[in-house]
Amino acid sequence: MKVELENVKPRDIEKRSFEIITEELGTRQLPKEQELIIKRCIHTSADFEYADNLCFSTEAVTKAIEAIKEGACIVTDTQMVKAGINKKALSKYGGEVYCFMADEDVAQTARDNGSTRATASMDKAAAMGKKLIFAIGNAPTALVRIYELIEEKKLDPELIIGVPVGFVNVVQSKELIMQTEVPYIVARGRKGGSNIAACICNALLYMIDDNRD
């Protein structure tokens, strides 16, 4: 079988990928505010089901962009999400990215309470007193704790990106977040992951300024 490769310059690979995604979506019209985020999730995963399973609360994207411009920080549940977020782009607006999973005080709190580190990380984040966006790509227990903290009036996030992947309490934790009045972007069902959490953060940043030099 003869294999024919597309002749695409390195700097044009992403552009060509998005053209292919648009072509394969066909006549489907995505909401303008959500389009770049959905397409970037498809680009990251090669999974077109994100066109159906990504759920957005009303004006979630607009509110998230406003929060970023006002210096909101991002809290994640994995070092992989932290590594994948464009921190230079976020820092233009005064924001930072935090992951507390490896912190010794978090580990000790988890041991003392018999909880997961992800749960203890969310408690530490809630005590920061900062404007926060949560990007959860791995641990449903993080989403459950965020929900509890919101219900206890101890946390009022600017946005929750709820895209943990897996089987145990993954679907349920996402549904809990969608019951709150907090802005959210949730991948309904079992799909998601750290790469998806990071790419949603980056999509929001690139909607503000796509200059990545």
Side-chain angles (χ1 to χ4, degrees), residues 155-173:
L155 185 63
D156 187 20
E158 302 300 316
L159 174 73
I160 302 169
I161 298 169
V163 293
V165 61
F167 300 93
V168 179
N169 288 329
V170 168
V171 173
Q172 297 93 322
S173 67

Side-chain angles (χ1 to χ4, degrees), residues 2-34:
K2 185 178 180 181
V3 176
E4 294 186 7
L5 300 177
E6 288 192 54
N7 185 17
V8 183
K9 295 179 181 178
R11 65 185 180 187
D12 292 333
I13 291 174
E14 182 179 274
K15 179 174 179 285
R16 178 60 185 136
S17 295
F18 275 83
E19 289 173 352
I20 293 169
I21 290 167
T22 300
E23 290 167 7
E24 295 201 17
L25 284 169
T27 59
R28 177 160 186 170
Q29 295 295 311
L30 301 175
K32 195 66 179 174
E33 183 185 60
Q34 303 168 12

Side-chain angles (χ1 to χ4, degrees), residues 12-211:
D12 292 333
I13 291 174
E14 182 179 274
K15 179 174 179 285
R16 178 60 185 136
S17 295
F18 275 83
E19 289 173 352
I20 293 169
I21 290 167
T22 300
E23 290 167 7
E24 295 201 17
L25 284 169
T27 59
R28 177 160 186 170
Q29 295 295 311
L30 301 175
K32 195 66 179 174
E33 183 185 60
Q34 303 168 12
E35 182 178 7
L36 180 60
I37 294 171
I38 294 170
K39 286 184 175 179
R40 189 160 287 280
C41 287
I42 294 171
H43 176 255
T44 295
S45 63
D47 188 343
F48 279 82
E49 285 192 18
Y50 283 104
D52 296 307
N53 69 14
L54 277 183
C55 300
F56 297 73
S57 64
T58 304
E59 296 186 338
V61 175
T62 299
K63 291 174 181 176
I65 288 173
E66 288 174 358
I68 290 170
K69 288 180 177 179
E70 292 170 0
C73 294
I74 299 174
V75 174
T76 83
D77 65 329
T78 69
Q79 293 293 338
M80 187 180 293
V81 180
K82 182 179 179 180
I85 294 171
N86 189 326
K87 289 168 282 294
K88 183 178 179 181
L90 182 64
S91 70
K92 291 179 186 178
Y93 311 100
E96 297 179 70
V97 184
Y98 296 95
C99 179
F100 301 127
M101 292 291 286
D103 292 6
E104 183 51 42
D105 59 334
V106 166
Q108 187 61 53
T109 298
R111 286 193 292 268
D112 292 344
N113 296 339
S115 71
T116 66
R117 288 194 183 200
T119 296
S121 290
M122 299 305 106
D123 287 316
K124 183 168 182 175
M128 292 174 70
K130 292 189 176 185
K131 191 183 291 284
L132 297 177
I133 291 171
F134 287 87
I136 308 302
N138 182 69
T141 56
L143 283 189
V144 172
R145 186 57 184 149
I146 290 170
Y147 172 80
E148 291 171 347
L149 289 165
I150 292 169
E151 291 294 293
E152 294 166 9
K153 309 296 183 186
K154 295 178 181 178
L155 185 63
D156 187 20
E158 302 300 316
L159 174 73
I160 302 169
I161 298 169
V163 293
V165 61
F167 300 93
V168 179
N169 288 329
V170 168
V171 173
Q172 297 93 322
S173 67
K174 294 174 181 179
E175 294 297 323
L176 283 175
I177 294 304
M178 294 174 67
Q179 292 177 18
T180 72
E181 295 183 0
V182 172
Y184 63 76
I185 301 173
V186 166
R188 207 165 202 165
R190 293 173 170 174
K191 291 187 177 183
S194 295
N195 58 336
I196 297 298
C199 91
I200 292 173
C201 292
N202 289 335
L204 291 167
L205 289 165
Y206 301 153
M207 288 173 77
I208 302 172
D209 181 1
D210 198 27
N211 181 7

